[in-house]
Amino acid sequence: MTEFSSAPDLQAYPADLVIEDTRRWLEKAVIGLNLCPFAKAVHVKNQVHYVVSEATDARGVAEQLQLELEALAEISPEKRDTTLLIVPHALQDFLDFNDFLELADELVEAMDLGGILQVASFHPQFQFEGTEVDDVTNCTNRAPYAILHLLREDSIDKAVEAFPEAEAIYENNMQTLEKLGIEGWLDLGVGATCPVTGQAAAVKDAV
């Protein structure tokens, strides 16, 4: 079994490289494979805000998440439609990250931002319940690093209106990844180029 370090070297994750890895994943996987039909528009308009967290524990991540939620709520959608809060130093274990998501939702409600903003997520070790770790369909929710994706509810509603078959996205993504296969996913080169942070390495070892 591959072991994952729980104490990352902060110097090994320069922010510019983390953002470069994340942007490459967005362009080649999310947009390139059309996993999210709504992503291209905000990307080409430079409305995606990238933030690399230096937090090393859940408390620090929560504090930064609060700041980014406040900032997104205050700025106009034309300048910043969505925020990717990238977390390379904390919550590297998927189960810990999954537990944190409940806290993230509670924070949105506590800030009176329910119905205005929401938090989605990606993680390099993401695994759907009932799947094997090397099941390629897990890659629909995998990213180079743990990511908290801050979204505007209004933008989601508008995107769904413009894409009448939004309910079919999930099944389409499953079919896309199954056709691609795990080797095809790895060949995309959308993993972290900083030290290995997640399940991508374990999957590569398994195939």
Side-chain angles (χ1 to χ4, degrees), residues 100-163:
F100 179 84
L101 298 179
E102 183 176 347
L103 174 61
D105 290 340
E106 291 174 354
L107 182 59
V108 170
E109 294 300 325
M111 296 174 65
D112 292 327
L113 292 175
I116 300 173
L117 301 181
Q118 65 173 249
V119 179
S121 61
F122 300 91
H123 195 279
Q125 296 179 27
F126 180 88
Q127 186 174 355
F128 287 112
E129 184 176 359
T131 65
E132 297 296 326
V133 70
D134 58 348
D135 189 321
V136 70
T137 59
N138 291 318
C139 295
T140 60
N141 290 60
R142 285 182 179 171
Y145 310 94
I147 295 176
L148 296 170
H149 184 191
L150 284 55
L151 296 145
R152 298 177 187 272
E153 294 275 7
D154 284 349
S155 295
I156 296 173
D157 292 342
K158 291 176 182 177
V160 170
E161 288 178 5
F163 192 83

Side-chain angles (χ1 to χ4, degrees), residues 19-116:
I19 291 174
E20 180 181 331
D21 287 345
T22 303
R23 185 177 284 114
R24 183 175 61 256
W25 160 76
L26 178 65
E27 293 174 345
K28 298 183 70 173
V30 179
I31 295 174
L33 298 178
N34 200 33
L35 299 180
C36 177
F38 320 133
K40 185 175 181 179
V42 292
H43 173 64
V44 298
K45 294 177 183 177
N46 293 316
Q47 294 173 322
V48 181
H49 182 55
Y50 298 85
V51 181
V52 180
S53 173
E54 294 185 358
T56 57
D57 57 26
R59 180 186 294 273
V61 176
E63 291 173 351
Q64 188 155 19
L65 175 59
Q66 180 174 352
L67 293 175
E68 294 304 327
L69 286 167
E70 291 174 348
L72 185 60
E74 292 173 359
I75 198 169
S76 70
E78 289 74 21
K79 292 183 178 180
R80 182 185 306 175
D81 187 79
T82 190
T83 296
L84 295 179
L85 176 56
I86 312 163
V87 185
H89 312 304
L91 304 173
Q92 293 191 329
D93 181 86
F94 176 60
L95 295 180
D96 291 341
F97 180 75
N98 206 39
D99 289 342
F100 179 84
L101 298 179
E102 183 176 347
L103 174 61
D105 290 340
E106 291 174 354
L107 182 59
V108 170
E109 294 300 325
M111 296 174 65
D112 292 327
L113 292 175
I116 300 173

Side-chain angles (χ1 to χ4, degrees), residues 2-21:
T2 301
E3 296 292 334
F4 300 105
S5 171
S6 60
D9 177 6
L10 302 191
Q11 298 301 319
Y13 298 83
D16 57 345
L17 186 55
V18 171
I19 291 174
E20 180 181 331
D21 287 345

